[in-house]
Amino acid sequence: VYDEDGIPRHVIFSTADNAHRICNSYKLDDDAAAGDDPIVKPLDDGSIVAHYSGKGRGGEYALHLLKHEEELDVTLLTLPLAHSNFYGFAIPLPNEKHTEWSISAAFGDSGIDMFSVKDLEHLVPAILEDKKLYRGKNLRISAERKTMEEVATLFSNIFGKDVIYNPLTVEEMAALPLPSAPAMAQMCQFLSSTPSLHDIEITEAMMFPRKPQMFKDWLLTNSDNPAFEAVGLSVEANPILSVVVFGATSEQGTSVINGLLNDKRKQYKIRATSRRISQKRAQALKALDPDRVELFQCNLDDMESCKRAAEGCDGAFLVTDFYGDAGMNEDVEEKHARNVIDACEAAHSVRHLVFSTMESVVEMNRHYDLGLPVLECDKTGRKSVVPSFDAKARAAAYARTKQLSCTFVLMPLYSESFFEMLAPEEQEDENGRKSLVMHVPEEDVQVMCMSVEELGPIVANIFDSYEVYAGHEIGLVTDFVSIKEVAETITETFYKEEDNHGNIKETKVEKKDVTIETWVEKQDTHMKDLRQIYGYLSKNDAVKRRRSMAQTLQLLPDATPFSKWMEQNRDNKSFKMKLGLR
């Protein structure tokens, strides 16, 4: 085709390992002569894992053919064992009485590289975004390495059945009454060998900032597949009807409780945790619905306290408080989150955790060369970019290592926070005349935002379909706005009022441009890393890789754009007070 149209192309070739070449070139003994003792014994026709080797030879041929072509590039994506194989040859099969299911294969006890083909939707664009980097490369990708014992345990946990791994010898598997059995036995032997190992690190780097889908999340998400039902593996409908909310008195926790209470599909029972259940904020939660909201005293420093709070609940929501409860100490905040994560894993009743976390700005800063300064925490000496983000990110990474179904939600700036950031100062001139002055940062960059009130309905929707969102990171955002645009919107919405006769009454407010440093200093806030937060959130190209309006709208179709949200709240007394209005 290129010879006819002359159009430059970059070809991405999805292939497999050339097992024949790899096995014949790899020596089991370093002192063995070349070609001796291949890892996998050839079949009578001389083939070794023919369905892999054929693809592998095709990929290697493409690399060789296009090596010196300037306008035709090729990248090989060499796949490991796909998760979808567990619909087929690796599916657990029942005994006659359907009391035990077995995964029968010749994988031995080695870890096997695995991958979800759905993640190709992220890897292919990553290659096309940096064609020069990946030109002529053979990328042997993998999301994780699992033994079949670990896989069988995950099947048991999700389906509630006795699933075991039945390790066959290569000869036993090759003798199964299937035409493809000898080649499949070779494949299992190859995949459990050292030279078959793929590169998890490069896969994670290519997908960054997203995370590859793990097998446990793939299995839960696809647990209703007809292939599993056909062998007697099915998950009974176990809706989440009770939720423990860790961080209940926070703005996010309160929003989630309201979202669950207002959900018309279910009558959620809610356990609202607080260090002090006698405080007004906690009592206000109880007053929302005394029959459905239970206050539960919980100390996040105490693992046993967290376990007691989680026990008996179907779902859990977690948000940690860096500035308050953790005393602006990263290590304390991370410990709080880990305690809750461990408690939810230990409480066998908890089927799903929704964790309100944040991205690691340390990683984002390094990966995208954002140029943000690195801070050293006064209390721990730990180096960080945005301490209130980075501790949550480390806790999220920890949660991914646990046998716990999780969804990770990332909140943007709360739209509500603009009323504090842009609260005008009352100034008086030499004649005693008073005026309002709103300080606005002169850097006209956009930041992401969403009303914290909209988190509640989103979390309710996640709990309603938690199997679908298992393992997902969902970056929430309803709008990207500049602080100057926010200042204009506030002025137009709140400082101009129409009286009963249609006359416009305008309250004078002077907008004064200041440097970002001056603006941060004037916040008089405990958020010492506000400059870092603003600096990061203004990096739109990087931020948008972790935030998605499309995902947000999928979970909340009637999510409100910022200007409309402002208009809806023009009579909000709390907002007016912050703006100096009566």
Side-chain angles (χ1 to χ4, degrees):
V1 175
Y2 173 73
D3 289 339
E4 294 179 1
D5 61 24
I7 297 175
R9 288 177 172 83
H10 191 114
V11 178
I12 299 174
F13 192 153
S14 176
T15 183
D17 284 314
N18 182 351
H20 195 286
R21 176 188 59 74
I22 292 171
C23 289
N24 283 331
S25 63
Y26 187 83
K27 308 178 188 65
L28 292 176
D29 183 341
D30 289 341
D31 297 324
D36 286 354
D37 297 325
I39 297 166
V40 178
K41 183 180 178 180
L43 300 181
D44 292 341
D45 62 3
S47 65
I48 297 178
V49 197
H51 58 297
Y52 272 38
S53 298
K55 295 184 181 73
R57 284 196 298 271
E60 291 169 355
Y61 173 76
L63 284 178
H64 176 75
L65 180 68
L66 302 180
K67 185 175 182 180
H68 301 295
E69 291 286 346
E70 292 186 3
E71 293 189 325
L72 286 178
D73 297 334
V74 65
T75 300
L76 303 187
L77 276 176
T78 301
L79 305 186
L81 185 73
H83 293 157
S84 53
N85 278 288
F86 290 92
Y87 293 146
F89 90 94
I91 196 169
L93 295 176
N95 60 15
E96 288 185 5
K97 296 183 179 180
H98 277 62
T99 58
E100 184 179 82
W101 282 254
S102 300
I103 301 173
S104 298
F107 285 115
D109 57 3
S110 300
I112 309 299
D113 281 301
M114 297 184 186
F115 182 75
S116 170
V117 293
K118 189 177 186 300
D119 282 337
L120 289 174
E121 69 184 33
H122 305 305
L123 288 179
V124 170
I127 293 171
L128 296 177
E129 284 180 8
D130 203 344
K131 296 176 184 177
K132 288 184 179 180
L133 177 63
Y134 298 112
R135 184 182 191 273
K137 298 288 179 65
N138 180 3
L139 305 172
R140 301 177 77 199
I141 62 174
S142 173
E144 62 181 332
R145 208 162 281 134
K146 287 282 185 191
T147 67
M148 287 302 114
E149 290 282 0
E150 292 171 326
V151 167
T153 298
L154 289 170
F155 268 100
S156 294
N157 291 343
I158 288 176
F159 290 100
K161 306 290 186 181
D162 188 8
V163 180
I164 65 168
Y165 170 47
N166 175 32
L168 302 178
T169 65
V170 174
E171 293 74 20
E172 287 172 334
M173 187 168 181
L176 293 174
L178 298 169
S180 61
M184 298 302 287
Q186 285 185 321
M187 181 193 74
C188 291
Q189 188 178 15
F190 173 69
L191 291 176
S192 60
S193 68
T194 300
S196 78
L197 297 183
H198 281 215
D199 196 331
I200 295 174
E201 188 174 334
I202 195 171
T203 309
E204 291 176 340
M206 290 177 67
M207 286 194 62
F208 186 86
R210 299 176 181 87
K211 306 292 183 184
Q213 186 177 48
M214 299 292 103
F215 179 76
K216 67 181 178 71
D217 298 320
W218 174 86
L219 187 58
L220 179 60
T221 301
N222 295 279
S223 58
D224 60 350
N225 189 279
F228 296 137
E229 293 181 3
V231 297
L233 291 175
S234 60
V235 177
E236 295 182 9
N238 285 318
I240 289 176
L241 299 174
S242 59
V243 176
V244 56
V245 178
F246 292 96
T249 57
S250 67
E251 290 176 284
Q252 288 192 36
T254 300
S255 174
V256 168
I257 290 172
N258 275 310
L260 294 173
L261 289 175
N262 293 327
D263 193 305
K264 303 301 182 186
R265 294 164 295 191
K266 301 173 185 174
Q267 290 286 302
Y268 284 102
K269 292 287 188 179
I270 300 163
R271 182 175 292 168
T273 71
S274 174
R275 200 180 283 263
R276 293 183 297 110
I277 59 175
S278 60
Q279 64 171 302
K280 289 183 179 179
R281 291 180 71 102
Q283 292 298 318
L285 296 175
K286 178 69 173 177
L288 292 173
D289 192 327
D291 294 330
R292 293 167 58 194
V293 177
E294 170 196 5
L295 296 182
F296 196 97
Q297 188 164 349
C298 178
N299 180 357
L300 298 188
D301 292 311
D302 180 5
M303 174 68 170
E304 292 303 316
S305 176
C306 295
K307 284 183 180 179
R308 289 192 295 273
E311 194 60 55
C313 290
D314 306 327
F317 174 81
L318 166 62
V319 60
T320 51
D321 181 4
F322 174 77
Y323 297 102
D325 207 25
M328 292 190 288
N329 185 313
E330 285 187 72
D331 290 348
V332 172
E333 182 179 27
E334 185 178 351
K335 179 188 175 185
H336 287 173
R338 282 178 175 241
N339 280 347
V340 172
I341 291 162
D342 288 340
C344 289
E345 184 184 41
H348 298 296
S349 63
V350 175
R351 290 194 288 277
H352 195 73
L353 167 68
V354 178
F355 182 9
S356 177
T357 182
M358 296 300 286
E359 54 266 70
S360 170
V361 186
V362 168
E363 290 183 0
M364 296 287 283
N365 196 34
R366 181 173 57 246
H367 191 89
Y368 294 116
D369 194 21
L370 301 180
L372 297 171
V374 177
L375 307 176
E376 184 170 315
C377 179
D378 295 336
K379 297 186 178 181
T380 65
R382 185 192 292 275
K383 294 187 182 299
S384 183
V385 179
V386 181
S388 57
F389 283 34
D390 294 328
K392 292 179 177 69
R394 291 193 299 272
Y398 176 73
R400 291 182 184 277
T401 69
K402 311 301 285 184
Q403 298 304 315
L404 178 66
S405 173
C406 299
T407 300
F408 305 92
V409 294
L410 279 61
M411 282 293 288
L413 274 179
Y414 304 165
S415 299
E416 292 84 351
S417 67
F418 290 127
F419 292 99
E420 295 179 6
M421 293 180 178
L422 294 171
E425 290 182 0
E426 188 175 72
Q427 296 185 353
E428 187 174 322
D429 63 18
E430 62 275 10
N431 298 317
R433 288 193 296 266
K434 294 181 180 180
S435 62
L436 294 175
V437 178
M438 181 184 292
H439 295 93
V440 182
E442 57 192 7
E443 293 181 29
D444 192 22
V445 292
Q446 289 188 320
V447 295
M448 57 185 179
C449 66
M450 186 181 93
S451 169
V452 69
E453 291 179 349
E454 296 193 307
L455 175 63
I458 286 173
V459 171
N461 285 334
I462 292 172
F463 279 130
D464 188 60
S465 304
Y466 67 96
E467 301 96 334
V468 174
Y469 297 104
H472 286 216
E473 177 188 283
I474 303 171
L476 300 172
V477 59
T478 55
D479 221 334
F480 285 84
V481 294
S482 72
I483 302 297
K484 286 190 175 182
E485 289 172 337
V486 174
E488 289 295 330
T489 304
I490 287 177
T491 301
E492 291 296 317
T493 305
F494 288 90
Y495 290 102
K496 292 182 179 179
E497 294 184 283
E498 185 175 330
D499 63 21
N500 295 331
H501 303 290
N503 300 313
I504 301 297
K505 177 186 176 184
E506 183 173 352
T507 301
K508 293 289 186 181
V509 59
E510 176 189 355
K511 289 189 288 293
K512 183 178 180 180
D513 287 349
V514 294
T515 65
I516 183 65
E517 286 74 20
T518 300
W519 180 67
V520 170
E521 288 175 8
K522 287 185 174 292
Q523 298 307 306
D524 188 27
T525 176
H526 57 276
M527 294 175 64
K528 303 300 182 185
D529 53 357
L530 180 60
R531 176 65 181 95
Q532 297 287 88
I533 294 174
Y534 185 81
Y536 169 66
L537 296 181
S538 67
K539 304 288 185 181
N540 280 325
D541 289 342
V543 168
K544 285 180 180 177
R545 291 176 181 271
R546 302 298 284 267
R547 298 299 194 285
S548 169
M549 284 192 186
Q551 278 190 316
T552 305
L553 290 171
Q554 183 181 21
L555 279 162
L556 191 65
D558 57 351
T560 313
F562 178 72
S563 58
K564 183 178 179 181
W565 177 84
M566 277 284 195
E567 184 62 34
Q568 290 174 349
N569 285 276
R570 67 182 306 145
D571 296 322
N572 186 297
K573 293 181 180 179
S574 174
F575 295 161
K576 284 188 170 185
M577 287 182 64
K578 290 176 181 178
L579 295 174
L581 299 171
R582 298 292 185 269

